[in-house]
Amino acid sequence: MLQIAGFQALAEHVAQRVHPLAAHDPALALRHRDVILTHLAVGALPFAGLPALLAFGAAPSGLGIAAFAWATAPIVVALGLSQTGALDRALAGLSFAFIVMVAVAAALTGGLASPALALFLLPVVEAGLTGSRPALKSSVAAILAAIGGLVWLTATGLPAVAFEPAFAIVCGVASSTYAVALALRAVAASAAVERAGQPSDERFELFAGSVGDLVTRHAGNGAATFVSPAAFDLIGAWPRELMGEGLFQRVHIADRPAFLQALACAGDGQDTKVVELRLRRDDASGRPSFVWVEMAARRVRAHEADAVSTQASPVVAMFRDVGARKANEEVLVAAREEAERASLAKTRFLAHMSHELRTPLNAIIGFSEALSDDALMRPTPERRAEYAALIRGSGEHLLEIVNSILDTARIESGAFAVATERCALRPIVETCVSLVALKAQAGGVRLTVDEAPGTPEVDADPRAMTQIALNLVANAVKFTPRGGQVTVSLGSLRGGVSLSVRDTGCGIAPENIARLGEAFFRAEDGVVREGTGLGLSVVRGLVALHGGELEVDSALGRGTTVTVLLPPAKTVINTIEEKARRRA
């Protein structure tokens, strides 16, 4: 049927309108297309005789009107098939409608002796061509029912109904159209069987539709002339949407040169060209995303398809989803970079730690040697006391470094035990301020505490909170010049409890703020800074253990504000059930 030139355009149009459930399978799509074309013709061609009837004064009435009304049934069912994809149900409805018409014609032309009974075989033939067992069973059942009805009518007497020309035209045209269409489909099926052992485009399309990867064919300008049904699974688009420039429009704009170059190289007869590129995919929500695919393009060889098609579409390409592989590669790259960063951090840590430990140890060893060796020097009692004080100061500094390193290690390994209890921050802050007050006074720094009314309590470890506040206040005093001010503020912020330490010191460059909290990190912004850089690292870790956040706002020359934001203390448990759940 599809070999007739007059049906070619209609066949291509119908092929693009088959239901998506059938579009995934080229063989099934072909059966849908043939059924729809056949019954569109069966229902539409009888109307071509209506103008002649009207011209000769034989306007249909009664049975003729019913016949033309019946002619719309195949059209409706065929269009419904393109919308639902239910082939077996559509064939059952079509065979029933045709058998009813033939039974009426037989009843009007001699009953069981009518030659119209031979037309009962047409639905059976179609069910066989389509390969539908349910349709075959329903056709046989309808035929037996129609024959039974004719037997009953013959026994009781056939009705005396005038045979209208309109009914004859509808019945004759529909039956002949149906028979011719089935004959053409049978011839086409026979030819397909004969060509099964020979290369052809139909065979190529059937093969391409059976593989899971997306297969396309392209003309010399890169336009897609064939797209396999796997397009929907890969990028969520129907094959007809990717024809022509549709596929090119879905290639990521940065990958389009590689896409066109691969097609051009394959078209020139070079070896298979393999490139990786991204195709736009539309998900269920309509938001576009890109999927990584591997495209392998090569020229179609002469023995693989018809010569005419090979000249028109010389390149075949296969697209395979490599998103999982790309994701694994990204994970490996990220892991390698993380390992490199960890190795660099370890090297930097060891270098800083050796420097920080060597400085006080050198002082201890040097002054101890001076005190123990009288032959080297004879220090006065005052000088001995001074050396002893320096040795003690170096030892305390060394102990502070070791404690900070141990705290950092315990925090990072998860071994730092936090014993939380409900507590107010004001007494903890005042204790820390009193410990730093002498140093602040000696450096000419004004130290104040400001608490907003109604500041909530927190669930925290008082020992850890003391270490947090003491490190922040000591750092602020250390980097604030004489005449400056350090203000410790307590209050509520964004539903939590805030502890802010603001100073008027030298400040920190914006590019260094993100690295604050790294062990041994000290900003290199032209300002001489003392300390190991471990204090803020410990603070950041302790704040994280409490489920809080650490924020730093600073700029060179205008001071620094470090804010610790902690969740407020949990509300009092009022219900017995809640108390029992907490105890469990």
Side-chain angles (χ1 to χ4, degrees):
M1 176 181 179
L2 299 182
Q3 311 304 321
I4 301 177
F7 284 100
Q8 191 63 39
L10 179 61
E12 293 179 357
H13 178 76
V14 172
Q16 295 180 0
R17 296 296 183 270
V18 296
H19 193 269
L21 291 176
H24 287 283
D25 185 349
L28 181 59
L30 185 62
R31 292 196 292 270
H32 277 243
R33 178 182 62 183
D34 285 350
V35 171
I36 293 173
L37 280 173
T38 296
H39 292 280
L40 285 179
V42 169
L45 288 182
F47 285 94
L50 186 57
L53 289 174
L54 297 177
F56 287 98
S61 63
L63 187 60
I65 294 177
F68 278 106
W70 169 91
T72 62
I75 299 176
V76 173
V77 176
L79 294 177
L81 174 59
S82 69
Q83 298 298 318
T84 63
L87 180 60
D88 294 336
R89 187 170 59 190
L91 286 173
L94 292 168
S95 63
F96 176 78
F98 184 78
I99 290 170
V100 167
M101 183 197 71
V102 173
V104 173
L108 297 177
T109 58
L112 294 176
S114 173
L117 293 179
L119 298 176
F120 279 148
L121 296 177
L122 295 181
V124 177
V125 172
E126 181 173 34
L129 287 173
T130 311
S132 173
R133 287 189 176 183
L136 181 61
K137 293 178 181 179
S138 62
S139 298
V140 172
I143 291 171
L144 294 176
I147 293 175
L150 290 174
V151 171
W152 180 79
L153 288 175
T154 302
T156 58
L158 294 175
V161 180
F163 194 84
E164 291 192 21
F167 180 81
I169 289 178
V170 172
C171 184
V173 173
S175 300
S176 59
T177 302
Y178 197 10
V180 172
L182 292 179
L184 291 174
R185 287 167 59 182
V187 171
S190 177
V193 172
E194 293 178 0
R195 296 194 308 267
Q198 303 175 0
S200 67
D201 285 346
E202 291 182 5
R203 187 181 178 190
F204 168 79
E205 294 179 9
L206 289 174
F207 170 77
S210 65
V211 298
D213 296 331
L214 172 60
V215 180
T216 60
R217 287 185 65 173
H218 299 267
N221 61 355
T225 58
F226 168 79
V227 180
S228 71
F232 185 81
D233 294 331
L234 182 61
I235 57 177
W238 298 115
R240 59 177 176 267
E241 299 176 15
L242 304 180
M243 298 293 285
E245 299 294 329
L247 179 61
F248 176 75
Q249 295 299 328
R250 286 182 174 265
V251 178
H252 192 283
I253 190 170
D255 299 331
R256 290 180 182 178
F259 173 78
L260 295 176
Q261 184 180 12
L263 294 179
C265 292
D268 291 339
Q270 300 181 19
D271 293 337
T272 301
K273 185 71 173 179
V274 180
V275 295
E276 291 183 352
L277 46 86
R278 289 158 289 182
L279 294 178
R280 189 180 78 249
R281 175 183 176 87
D282 296 332
D283 56 18
S285 62
R287 291 176 298 183
S289 59
F290 286 91
V291 56
W292 276 101
V293 298
E294 181 184 79
M295 171 187 171
R298 68 174 179 84
R299 186 175 182 84
V300 180
R301 298 177 178 87
H303 67 277
E304 294 176 330
D306 294 339
V308 175
S309 299
T310 302
Q311 294 175 3
S313 304
V315 177
V316 61
M318 179 175 288
F319 298 82
R320 176 167 296 176
D321 187 356
V322 294
R325 190 181 74 192
K326 277 290 184 180
N328 291 336
E329 290 177 358
E330 292 177 358
V331 170
L332 292 176
V333 170
R336 184 174 65 252
E337 292 177 350
E338 181 64 25
E340 292 174 353
R341 285 195 296 268
S343 177
L344 181 61
K346 182 181 69 174
T347 302
R348 188 184 298 116
F349 176 83
L350 292 175
H352 283 294
M353 185 174 67
S354 61
H355 172 74
E356 295 295 339
L357 294 178
R358 185 168 56 247
T359 301
L361 284 174
N362 286 336
I364 293 173
I365 294 173
F367 289 121
S368 299
E369 184 179 0
L371 291 175
S372 61
D373 192 351
D374 291 336
L376 182 65
M377 61 178 302
R378 297 179 181 277
T380 63
E382 293 80 6
R383 184 60 60 86
R384 288 180 178 273
E386 181 183 355
Y387 288 172
L390 291 174
I391 292 174
R392 176 170 181 171
S394 298
E396 291 175 347
H397 179 59
L398 183 61
L399 179 62
E400 180 184 355
I401 294 174
V402 172
N403 287 334
S404 297
I405 293 174
L406 292 176
D407 287 341
T408 301
R410 284 189 297 165
I411 291 172
E412 291 182 353
S413 64
F416 194 99
V418 176
T420 60
E421 61 181 63
R422 179 165 297 190
C423 59
L425 292 181
R426 179 65 182 256
I428 295 175
V429 170
E430 288 180 342
T431 300
C432 297
V433 168
S434 64
L435 293 176
V436 186
L438 290 177
K439 184 176 180 180
Q441 184 177 3
V445 177
R446 183 184 175 189
L447 189 58
T448 60
V449 178
D450 181 20
E451 181 182 17
T455 300
E457 295 180 331
V458 296
D459 288 331
D461 186 337
R463 179 177 60 88
M465 292 307 303
T466 300
Q467 191 169 359
I468 291 172
L470 185 60
N471 281 343
L472 293 180
V473 175
N475 271 350
V477 171
K478 182 189 304 182
F479 297 115
T480 300
R482 181 174 296 277
Q485 181 174 347
V486 174
T487 304
V488 184
S489 303
L490 299 173
S492 300
L493 180 65
R494 299 199 299 270
V497 182
S498 65
L499 164 62
S500 297
V501 179
R502 184 175 67 253
D503 63 58
T504 58
C506 55
I508 305 169
E511 60 271 16
N512 292 324
I513 292 179
R515 295 193 59 190
L516 291 179
E518 293 182 14
F520 294 109
F521 173 74
R522 286 180 291 189
E524 298 178 358
D525 44 25
V527 179
V528 178
R529 302 178 188 273
E530 300 177 355
T532 62
L534 289 171
L536 201 55
S537 176
V538 173
V539 169
R540 185 180 291 276
L542 292 176
V543 171
L545 289 178
H546 286 80
E549 300 175 7
L550 182 68
E551 299 176 355
V552 180
D553 180 25
S554 181
L556 288 175
R558 67 174 184 86
T560 302
T561 301
V562 180
T563 302
V564 175
L565 185 61
L566 299 172
K570 299 176 181 178
T571 57
V572 178
I573 303 173
N574 295 319
T575 64
I576 297 176
E577 294 81 5
E578 182 68 5
K579 291 179 181 179
R581 187 181 67 81
R582 287 294 181 86
R583 285 197 297 269

